[in-house]
Amino acid sequence: MTKIACPTSEHDLVFPNLDGKPLRRSIALRRGLWPALRRAELRTVNVHSLRHSFASALIAKGSPVTEVQSILGHSSPAITLNVYSHWFRATRTTAMDSVVRDLLSSKPEKSGHKVDTGRTKQPRAKITHLSPVAISS
């Protein structure tokens, strides 16, 4: 098996030209990305589309906004939320179920907080699934 290696350069680039300098975007697209996409029978996209798709996939898998912000190099999470907020709104995690289970469990968390319902001890109903609740303003 042949191993792919990039020439070493002062810029430590992933896709340098033969001299180790930055590859022009048009050349990288025409000679690298677009032929690879055709061979894989995928539609033609540009680098920005790939970046946006990658970020959207991270969010869809439940990555926190601060992680996505760091990976993309945004200066603040606010920029990431401004661009990708529609994905965060559409992403559902098990966080709410987990918090409710912790609050209703018979053992209080080590945080020092305890749920006090003011009732006597009665068997609690088993929670199998909670649906997200929409809050309107």
Side-chain angles (χ1 to χ4, degrees), residues 89-108:
R89 283 193 300 267
T91 301
R92 298 288 176 231
T93 67
T94 59
M96 187 175 9
D97 292 344
S98 179
V99 168
V100 171
R101 264 194 300 281
D102 287 348
L103 288 172
L104 298 177
S105 73
S106 59
K107 298 180 214 168

Side-chain angles (χ1 to χ4, degrees), residues 7-133:
T8 56
S9 71
E10 63 179 284
H11 304 291
D12 198 25
L13 302 171
V14 176
F15 298 108
N17 65 18
L18 294 175
D19 299 330
K21 294 182 180 154
L23 191 61
R24 288 198 345 234
R25 183 185 343 208
S26 60
I27 292 173
L29 292 172
R30 280 196 325 268
R31 294 186 187 167
L33 180 61
W34 292 339
L37 291 171
R38 276 193 299 277
R39 285 191 303 274
E41 298 180 3
L42 297 172
R43 67 183 175 92
T44 302
V45 296
N46 60 31
V47 175
H48 181 78
S49 296
L50 290 176
R51 174 183 166 90
H52 192 73
S53 296
F54 177 67
S56 300
L58 287 173
I59 295 163
K61 290 294 185 181
S63 295
V65 66
T66 51
E67 181 181 11
V68 177
Q69 172 237 333
S70 175
I71 291 169
L72 295 179
H74 292 158
S75 59
S76 76
I79 293 170
T80 308
L81 284 170
N82 187 42
V83 176
Y84 298 101
S85 61
H86 60 285
W87 278 104
F88 283 101
R89 283 193 300 267
T91 301
R92 298 288 176 231
T93 67
T94 59
M96 187 175 9
D97 292 344
S98 179
V99 168
V100 171
R101 264 194 300 281
D102 287 348
L103 288 172
L104 298 177
S105 73
S106 59
K107 298 180 214 168
E109 289 293 313
K110 295 187 187 226
S111 67
H113 297 282
K114 184 177 178 181
V115 175
D116 183 11
T117 62
R119 294 183 290 169
T120 59
K121 286 268 186 185
Q122 295 178 0
R124 295 196 174 114
K126 183 176 180 182
I127 297 174
T128 56
H129 178 72
L130 294 175
S131 300
V133 178

